[in-house]
Amino acid sequence: MPTVAPPAALRPVSTSSYTELSRTVREAGLLHRAPGYYAVTLGVLALALGGIATGFVLLGDSWLQLLMAGALGLVLTQLAFVAHEAAHRQVLDSGPHNDRLGRFLANALVGISYSWWMSKHSRHHANPNRVGKDPDIENDTVAFTPDGARAQHRWLRPLTRVQGWAFFPLLTLEGLNLHATSIRSLLRGTAADRPTRLRELATIGVRLGVYVAVVVWALPPGLTAAFLGTQLAVFGIYMGASFAPNHKGMAIIPADSRLDFFSKQVLTSRNIRGGPLMSALMGGLNHQIEHHLFPSMPRPHLRRARALVRAHCADLGVPYTETSLVRSYAIVVRYLNRVGLSARDPFDCPAYHRLRGV
C-alpha cells in the first residue's frame, strides 16, 4: 500500500455522487436505529459480566482466575465497542440519550474518558490519515509516517526501526495507556469543560479504585498482579487488533490536499472480510468504509450497505479495499516496518564502520 496517495488516486469525485449514494442508503432504511439489536447485545454482555463475577468469587485463590481476567478483558472491549457506537449516535434515538449511555459504558464500566474519546475520534473521522489533522497518525511510541519516523526521539529510534514486529507486543500495554491517557486528558482542559471533566474523572477514579481494591482484597499479591496484567493485556490487544486493520497501510493524505468527502473516506479505509461473526468480534469495525461514509449507521445495517457502496465505487472507478483479517495484520506489520526504516541513520552502514575501524 502506498505511503502517500498518488495524485491519480486523489482525483476528486463529484459531491452529487455521494449525495446519490446517501439517498439510496436512506431509502433502504439503513440509517434507522436498531435498538433491539443493541438491547440484546448489552443484555448478553451484562450476563457475561455476571458470569465473570460469579467465577471470580467461586474460584478464589486459584490461577484459574487468569481465565476470568482474560474474559473480563474481552467483555470490556465489547462494551467499548458499544460506547463507540453510542458516540456515533447509532444506538438510541436522541443525541443526549446516546451520550448518557456512552458515558456510562466508557467511564463507569470500561474506565476510559468518553469526552477524550469523542474529541479524538471526531477529528479522526473528519480527516482520516491526513497529515497534521488525524490524531491517529500523530507520533507516539509508534510512528505512522516516514516524516514521523525521521522526527522520532533518538532513544525511540531503535524501536522504530523494528516497530512493525513490535506493534502487536506493544499492544499488551495499550490497555494501561488508554486508562492513563484518559486521566491525563481530564486533568487538562479549559474552565468551560471543567464540570464535565471533574465528573468523568470522579467516575473513572471510583471505577478503577473499586476494581483494583476488590482484586487486591480477594487475591494474594502475585495472583493480583497476574490478574490485573492479564486483563489489561487482553483488553489492549483486543482493542488494538480491532482498530489497527482499518487504516494502517492505507493512503496517507498530504496536509495540503483538497479531497472530497467520499474519496477521502474510501481511499483511507480498509474492510475486513467475514460474516456476522466477524462483525460481532470487531464491533462492526470490519465494515470500516461504510462506517466512515455513514458514521451514524447501526452495526447490523453495515453489511447491507456494503453491497451498495461496492457497486457505487465500481461505477466511479474508486478502489474499494477489502481483505482478510490475517492479511490485514500482515499489511500493517509490513507498512510499519517500511515506515520505521526512515528512522535509520543514513550513515549507519556496517561497511562504513568496518572501514573506519569502529
Side-chain angles (χ1 to χ4, degrees):
M1 290 297 172
T3 301
V4 178
L10 298 180
R11 183 173 57 251
V13 174
S14 69
T15 303
S16 62
S17 174
Y18 174 72
T19 303
E20 293 170 7
L21 175 63
S22 182
R23 184 185 305 113
T24 302
V25 165
R26 186 175 293 104
E27 289 174 352
L30 301 182
L31 296 180
H32 293 165
R33 301 294 176 266
Y37 173 87
Y38 288 107
V40 171
T41 298
L42 289 172
V44 170
L45 293 176
L47 288 174
L49 280 177
I52 292 169
T54 302
F56 181 83
V57 171
L58 294 178
L59 286 172
D61 182 2
S62 167
W63 286 94
L64 291 175
Q65 289 283 13
L66 298 188
L67 296 176
M68 297 298 101
L72 182 57
L74 297 177
V75 171
L76 290 177
T77 305
Q78 284 286 330
L79 290 169
F81 289 157
V82 181
H84 162 248
E85 290 164 291
H88 281 293
R89 309 297 191 257
Q90 295 177 20
V91 182
L92 302 174
D93 288 332
S94 77
H97 290 162
N98 276 296
D99 281 338
R100 280 192 284 271
L101 174 63
R103 283 196 180 92
F104 172 73
L105 294 175
N107 299 342
L109 296 185
V110 182
I112 61 176
S113 169
Y114 180 76
S115 60
W116 163 74
W117 174 262
M118 280 279 287
S119 173
K120 176 179 181 289
H121 200 58
S122 296
R123 287 183 286 137
H124 160 69
H125 265 264
N127 289 283
N129 275 15
R130 184 166 187 164
V131 176
K133 295 289 187 179
D134 184 357
D136 286 0
I137 61 171
E138 290 177 355
N139 263 25
D140 202 334
T141 304
V142 173
F144 296 105
T145 65
D147 286 343
R150 284 187 285 269
Q152 195 65 285
H153 295 294
R154 180 174 295 276
W155 62 273
L156 270 177
R157 287 181 182 175
L159 174 62
T160 303
R161 293 167 193 157
V162 295
Q163 63 179 5
W165 302 120
F167 181 68
F168 285 98
L170 284 172
L171 289 181
T172 58
L173 302 175
E174 180 61 15
L176 182 62
N177 178 58
L178 287 171
H179 293 309
T181 301
S182 293
I183 293 172
R184 190 164 57 245
S185 71
L186 293 172
L187 293 174
R188 302 168 181 169
T190 63
D193 64 0
R194 182 181 173 85
T196 298
R197 289 189 292 109
L198 290 179
R199 283 195 297 270
E200 287 200 9
L201 192 59
T203 303
I204 293 172
V206 170
R207 186 277 191 207
L208 295 177
V210 170
Y211 167 59
V212 172
V214 168
V215 177
V216 169
W217 172 76
L219 304 178
L223 187 51
T224 292
F227 185 97
L228 295 175
T230 299
Q231 183 265 299
L232 286 169
V234 171
F235 176 57
I237 291 171
Y238 192 6
M239 284 283 282
S242 298
F243 280 90
N246 305 330
H247 302 283
K248 304 299 182 281
M250 294 300 293
I252 298 294
I253 309 300
D256 58 353
S257 291
R258 297 174 61 87
L259 198 60
D260 65 281
F261 175 81
F262 179 83
S263 300
K264 150 171 90 172
Q265 303 298 343
V266 174
L267 293 173
T268 60
S269 301
R270 178 192 297 114
N271 276 15
I272 304 300
R273 296 192 191 102
L277 178 59
M278 184 63 72
S279 188
L281 288 175
M282 296 188 68
L285 297 172
N286 53 313
H287 295 296
Q288 193 66 194
I289 295 173
E290 290 72 30
H291 171 59
H292 264 256
L293 289 173
F294 306 100
S296 64
M297 182 180 291
R299 189 193 311 180
H301 298 166
L302 291 168
R303 184 168 177 80
R304 290 172 57 196
R306 169 180 170 274
L308 298 175
V309 175
R310 278 178 64 96
H312 191 72
C313 287
D315 289 342
L316 296 174
V318 175
Y320 182 99
T321 303
E322 187 173 67
T323 189
S324 69
L325 185 62
V326 173
R327 173 65 176 161
S328 74
Y329 290 152
I331 291 170
V332 170
V333 170
R334 186 169 63 248
Y335 170 74
L336 291 178
N337 276 335
R338 189 166 68 246
V339 167
L341 294 178
S342 300
R344 292 191 305 184
D345 186 336
F347 298 105
D348 188 12
C349 171
Y352 171 80
H353 290 303
R354 284 198 303 271
L355 290 173
R356 295 278 296 183
V358 177

